[in-house]
Amino acid sequence: AAEDLAFIVARLTADGAPALANRLAGAIGAAVVATGIDRQGRAWQRLAQRLSVFDVAVGDAGEATVGNATDAATPEMLQALIVDASIHAIGLSRTGLFLMVDDLHEAPAEELLTLITALEALTDGSSPVVSVLVGLPALKEQMLAAGPFAARYAYRSIGNPD
């Protein structure tokens, strides 16, 4: 598992609910809080500021609350949050940030585009981020339709899980 490889792991199921980027921000915030980050320190203050853009608050127990914000997130906003979380991971001697998004085939096209554009900007290797995007076989076509650059991604089919 990614935890065994010392990643900070943020998981989300894209169940078709709105504000995918906001909900992913909540998952990232909760994963970072679970590391025991000093909530008074500068690293947390920077992350909290990034999270507030997504209308996300993270409680002391690590539970993330996503407000009523619509998904007006830009790829740049999401990318900045992901980079800051991965920098925090390195500061804790962790491998990086591992993002797992399940049922992504249910995401609206514009929200899918926001996510894959943010991730595309991270493919230069400067940030220790691994993303696993999971969905039905149609997801590949949905991603290609949302952003032609998605042709560069590695797609794997695991077949029917029966």
Side-chain angles (χ1 to χ4, degrees), residues 74-153:
T74 66
E76 295 79 16
M77 292 163 46
L78 187 56
Q79 177 190 359
L81 174 64
I82 292 169
V83 167
D84 282 354
S86 68
I87 289 169
H88 172 67
I90 295 301
L92 292 174
S93 298
R94 299 288 196 92
T95 304
L97 179 65
F98 187 97
L99 302 174
M100 168 78 170
V101 184
D102 197 5
D103 292 336
L104 194 56
H105 60 277
E106 294 187 22
E110 62 277 359
E111 295 183 27
L112 181 60
L113 178 60
T114 297
L115 174 61
I116 64 174
T117 302
L119 294 175
E120 173 65 19
L122 298 171
T123 59
D124 64 0
S126 63
S127 297
V129 177
V130 173
S131 60
V132 176
L133 309 176
V134 181
L136 294 177
L139 178 60
K140 179 178 180 179
E141 286 74 31
Q142 288 172 275
M143 290 177 66
L144 291 170
F149 55 82
R152 294 187 290 254
Y153 294 168

Side-chain angles (χ1 to χ4, degrees), residues 5 11 22 58 66 73 98 114 124-125 144 146 148 154 159:
L5 297 174
R11 290 182 176 84
N22 299 57
V58 182
V66 180
F98 187 97
T114 297
D124 64 0
L144 291 170

Side-chain angles (χ1 to χ4, degrees), residues 38-62:
D38 174 9
R39 303 279 298 259
Q40 303 304 314
R42 292 181 67 208
W44 173 252
Q45 297 304 317
R46 183 177 172 105
L47 279 166
Q49 181 181 25
R50 298 257 192 239
L51 290 168
S52 70
V53 171
F54 295 93
D55 200 14
V56 169
V58 182
D60 291 336

